[in-house]
Amino acid sequence: MTKSLRTVTALSLVARAVAAQASGAGTDPRLATRLDKPTYVAVNAIVDSARAAKLPTAPLVDKALEGAAKGSDGPKIVSAVQQLRVRMTSARAVLGTSATSDEIKAASAAFEAGVSDRDLARVKAAAGKRAVTMPLAVLTDLIGRQIEVATATNLVIQLEKSGVKDPELALFQRNVRADIDRGADPTVAAQTRARGLTQRGASTSKPSE
Amino acid sequence: MSDDDVKMSQIARVLRAPVRLSASFDARVMAAVRRLPGHERLKLWARLTTPRTVTVMPLSWGLLAASVALFAVLGALHFVVDVDRAAKPIANALFPAQAKPAPQRVQFVLVAPDAKKVAVVGDFNGWDASHAGYQAQHRGGGVWSVTAPVPVGHHRYSFVVDDSVWVADPTAPRVVDNDYGVPNSAIVVPQE
Amino acid sequence: MEASSDAVVVSHVLRGDVDAFGTLVERYRDRYARYAFHMLGNREDAEEALQDAFTRAYRSLPQCEDPERFGAWLFRILVNRCRTVGARRGRRARTFVADETALLGAAEDHPAERTAWREEIDRALQQLRPDQREAFLLKYVEELGYDEMSQLTGVGVSALKMRVMRACERMRELLSEVHSV
C-alpha cells in the first residue's frame, strides 16, 4: 500500500471509529468497522431495542461479528441478529428476569436446536437454584448428535434431579460423544451413560437445595 | 407477468396515489422539533458531562495533524481511539457488573494433518481469525493446539483452518447453527 | 437550501439550524404519508406516526450513519412507529370513512368510480394482518426489493415473501367479493 493510500485508509478508519464513538452510548466500534452501513444501522437498531428491553446485548453484537467473519451478506446478518433477539426474549420470559447472560445464551442455543418453551421451563424447574447453562449446553449437544428432543430433554432433567453437578455433566457429554464416535447408537449411548450417573447419584450425592 | 401480478400492480397503482395531510402538519412537526434540545447545545452538554478515555494511537505526526483537521471539520474533539480498548468502557457501562471472574486458560486441540494454519475464533475474541492470542501451533503429527484465555461462561466458537475452512471442534458440545450455515461448538467455562 | 442534498441539510441541522429540518420534512412527508396512511387506515394515526417519526429522526440525527440516505433511515423509523401506533390503536377507526378518500389525490376521469374502487382497496387492506399489510405495502407500493425490505424490517427474506404471498391471496379474496378481480 502506498503511503498516501495508507493515510487515506487510516483517516477513514479514524473517522469511522469517531463516528461510531460519537453516535451514542453503547455502539460497539467493531460493528462499525466490520459491517457495511445499512447492516450496521439495522443491527444497531436491534441492539438498541434489546438494551431498552434490558436484554444482554453482547450476544447480539457477537452474532453480527460472527456473520461478518463468516462472510455472510448484510440481510442474513440482520436476520440472524433479529432472530437471536427473539430467542433471547423468549428465553428470559421462561427463565425469569434473574437469568444470567450465559443462561440466556445457552437457552437461545437450545431453542435453535428445537427445545420448546415448555421443555426449557422443565429443565429450569429441575435445576432448582442451580444455573441451567451447562444442562442446556449438554441438551443442545445431545440433540445435535441426533437424539430426539424429547428423549434428550428427559435425560437431562433426570440427571439434574439426581443432583448431578456441572463437571459431571461435562464428563457425561464427553463420554457420550466418545461412545458415538466408536459407533454406538446415540440414544443408547446417552441413556446408558445417564443411567450410570443417576444410579451413582442416587446412592452417593445429597439432593440439591 | 402473471395475471396475479397484473392485478396486484393495478391495486398498487391505486395505492400509490398521493395522500394529502392536514395543512398544519408541517407547522406541528416543526413546533414539536423546536421544543427538543437543539443539536449544538446537546453536543456541548455531552462534551462537558461525559467522562471519556482518550488514547492516542502511535501515528506519525503528519497523520495526527491531518486527523485533527478532519475532526475540526466533523466538529468533534476526539482523538483516535484504539477500537478494541474503546469497547471496554462501553461494555462496562452496559454491564456495570459484578466484579467479573478472571478468564480461564483453556486448551483447544484440532487434528488437521493437511492444515498450514489453524486459528480459534469465537465470541470471546470477536470472531477474529487474526487475533494473536488464538493462533494454534502445530505440535507434530497433524496435532494443532493453543491454550488461550476464555472468560467464564457460555461461548460459541470454531476453528478456522487456512483462513478459509470453518471446522467445529469435534470434541466439544455442538450448537445447531442455522444462521450462517457453518457449524459452531459450545464451551461452558466454569468459575474456578 | 431546497436544492441541497440531504447530507448538506443534515449538516446544517446538526450545526444548530433547526429551520433547516423543515426542508427534510417537506421533502419526505408526502411520500411517507402515503405509507403511514395505508398502514394505519386513518389520517389521524398516520399523522401521529409521521410526526413521531420526524421528531425521533431529529432527536437521533447525530446517529444517522449516512446522511446522504436520510430518507431511508427516516423510513425505517416510520415503519417502526407505524407498528407501535398500529398496535396501540388496534381497535380504533379501522373502518374506512368516505371522507378519507377526499384526501387522496384527485382522480382523473370517472371520479366517483375511482373513489369507490379506492375505498374498496383500502378497506380490504385494513383487513390484512399488520405484518402482511406492511410487507404488501413495502413490496408493491413502495416497490422495495426483498433485501431492502429485510433490512428495513429486520425480518428474513423468506418470511417476507410468505407474508407478501398471503397478503396477495387475501386481497384477491376480499376484492373478488366486490368486483370480479
Side-chain angles (χ1 to χ4, degrees):
Chain A
M1 227 192 233
T2 63
K3 194 175 178 198
S4 54
L5 189 54
R6 262 205 301 273
T7 307
V8 167
T9 308
L11 278 176
S12 69
L13 280 174
V14 153
R16 287 174 88 177
V18 165
Q21 271 284 73
S23 66
T27 309
D28 192 312
R30 294 172 297 177
L31 292 179
T33 52
R34 295 197 209 168
L35 301 177
D36 63 37
K37 273 173 193 156
T39 309
Y40 172 64
V41 169
V43 167
N44 245 357
I46 299 168
V47 170
D48 281 348
S49 90
R51 186 179 305 118
K54 300 207 183 351
L55 283 170
T57 55
L60 298 169
V61 172
D62 288 329
K63 180 59 81 174
L65 293 174
E66 181 191 347
K70 288 177 175 171
S72 278
D73 61 31
K76 219 179 250 180
I77 293 175
V78 172
S79 171
V81 173
Q82 176 68 359
Q83 284 170 46
L84 175 58
R85 190 227 192 278
V86 169
R87 289 196 297 271
M88 281 168 55
T89 305
S90 303
R92 198 189 40 193
V94 175
L95 297 177
T97 48
S98 58
T100 63
S101 174
D102 291 318
E103 289 180 302
I104 291 177
K105 283 162 80 173
S108 303
F111 282 147
E112 229 181 327
V115 172
S116 66
D117 284 18
R118 189 175 161 270
D119 283 338
L120 176 63
R122 289 173 59 217
V123 170
K124 167 79 180 146
K129 291 202 182 104
R130 284 170 301 163
V132 288
T133 315
M134 183 64 90
L136 289 174
V138 170
L139 174 55
T140 304
D141 178 58
L142 293 179
I143 297 169
R145 297 195 194 266
Q146 312 306 318
I147 296 170
E148 270 191 11
V149 177
T151 309
T153 308
N154 289 335
L155 277 176
V156 167
I157 288 174
Q158 227 182 317
L159 290 171
E160 286 181 295
K161 285 184 171 164
S162 306
V164 170
K165 302 258 171 27
D166 282 1
E168 292 171 290
L169 278 175
L171 182 60
F172 163 79
Q173 182 271 327
R174 286 201 295 277
N175 286 336
V176 171
R177 193 239 315 140
D179 293 343
I180 295 172
D181 286 347
R182 280 184 219 111
D185 172 80
T187 305
V188 171
Q191 285 169 338
T192 308
R193 291 287 183 178
R195 200 176 310 125
L197 268 181
T198 51
Q199 280 169 357
R200 209 172 60 225
S203 55
T204 59
S205 70
K206 294 197 219 59
S208 54
E209 322 70 352
Chain B
M1 231 193 203
S2 70
D3 264 355
D4 289 344
D5 284 336
V6 169
K7 284 164 197 159
M8 290 304 128
S9 296
Q10 287 168 349
I11 290 169
R13 219 173 15 247
V14 170
L15 291 172
R16 261 182 241 127
V19 165
R20 269 199 302 275
L21 297 167
S22 55
S24 57
F25 179 80
D26 284 18
R28 277 186 280 126
V29 171
M30 291 312 294
V33 154
R34 284 195 185 93
R35 283 196 291 272
L36 297 171
H39 283 295
E40 264 312 305
R41 288 202 297 283
L42 246 185
K43 279 164 89 170
L44 186 57
W45 178 248
R47 246 184 262 147
L48 291 176
T49 59
T50 311
R52 50 173 62 96
T53 310
V54 173
T55 317
V56 178
M57 253 173 63
L59 295 174
S60 71
W61 284 111
L63 192 53
L64 188 56
S67 310
V68 172
L70 178 69
F71 298 141
V73 165
L74 293 177
L77 283 178
H78 302 270
F79 284 93
V80 173
V81 177
D82 176 279
V83 167
D84 280 331
R85 230 179 299 154
K88 241 205 188 147
I90 292 167
N92 288 339
L94 287 178
F95 303 109
Q98 320 127 343
K100 278 194 157 174
Q104 303 296 314
R105 298 200 47 85
V106 174
Q107 187 190 40
F108 297 92
V109 179
L110 180 69
V111 178
D114 299 328
K116 309 265 179 313
K117 185 179 174 213
V118 174
V120 177
V121 291
D123 59 24
F124 41 77
N125 67 1
W127 299 92
D128 182 359
S130 62
H131 201 299
Y134 297 84
Q135 305 301 313
Q137 304 296 318
H138 185 224
R139 309 291 175 191
V143 178
W144 295 77
S145 80
V146 60
T147 300
V150 179
V152 167
H154 182 283
H155 302 281
R156 288 177 181 237
Y157 72 99
S158 184
F159 291 106
V160 178
V161 175
D162 296 341
D163 285 322
S164 54
V165 180
W166 289 69
V167 177
D169 185 344
T171 68
R174 283 186 195 161
V175 276
V176 168
D177 196 331
N178 293 322
D179 294 323
Y180 303 121
V182 182
N184 285 330
S185 304
I187 183 170
V188 180
V189 177
Q191 199 163 340
E192 287 302 323
Chain C
M1 186 65 71
E2 274 65 35
S4 308
S5 71
D6 284 357
V8 170
V9 178
V10 166
S11 68
H12 280 279
V13 177
L14 289 176
R15 279 203 291 281
D17 182 358
V18 183
D19 290 333
F21 194 72
T23 304
L24 296 171
V25 174
E26 209 180 344
R27 210 170 263 186
Y28 289 105
R29 54 131 143 80
D30 288 334
R31 178 176 165 200
Y32 295 151
R34 180 180 71 192
Y35 173 81
F37 179 71
H38 290 308
M39 194 58 215
L40 297 171
N42 68 82
R43 179 171 77 172
E44 199 174 326
D45 288 347
E47 290 198 358
E48 180 190 324
L50 196 51
Q51 180 174 323
D52 235 349
F54 276 118
T55 47
R56 275 164 192 262
Y58 177 82
R59 216 174 23 228
S60 313
L61 205 53
Q63 272 104 286
C64 179
E65 274 293 300
D66 189 356
E68 204 52 68
R69 299 185 67 234
F70 170 84
W73 182 72
L74 171 66
F75 195 24
R76 199 197 154 79
I77 297 175
L78 177 65
V79 166
N80 278 312
R81 294 322 301 155
C82 285
R83 284 172 173 176
T84 309
V85 173
R88 214 179 339 138
R89 307 269 180 102
R91 278 142 287 284
R92 164 173 152 170
R94 280 271 173 254
T95 49
F96 200 77
V97 176
D99 252 12
E100 305 284 12
T101 325
L103 293 173
L104 302 174
E108 306 84 45
D109 19 27
H110 307 121
E113 226 173 79
R114 284 273 180 170
T115 299
W117 179 221
R118 272 187 185 134
E119 268 187 48
E120 290 312 326
I121 289 177
D122 260 295
R123 230 192 289 269
L125 204 53
Q126 293 316 308
Q127 290 186 59
L128 293 181
R129 271 175 31 181
D131 59 346
Q132 289 174 6
R133 186 163 62 246
E134 180 189 85
F136 181 86
L137 290 173
L138 292 176
K139 176 88 187 86
Y140 282 103
V141 181
E142 302 307 318
E143 299 183 284
L144 299 180
Y146 278 108
D147 286 345
E148 288 177 275
M149 285 165 64
S150 182
Q151 286 178 14
L152 202 58
T153 59
V155 177
V157 167
S158 41
L160 287 168
K161 286 184 174 167
M162 183 71 66
R163 290 179 189 184
V164 169
M165 195 180 79
R166 294 266 146 80
C168 290
E169 278 167 13
R170 191 78 183 106
M171 288 294 280
R172 270 197 298 282
E173 254 172 48
L174 291 164
L175 292 171
S176 69
E177 286 162 14
V178 186
H179 295 266
S180 49
V181 172

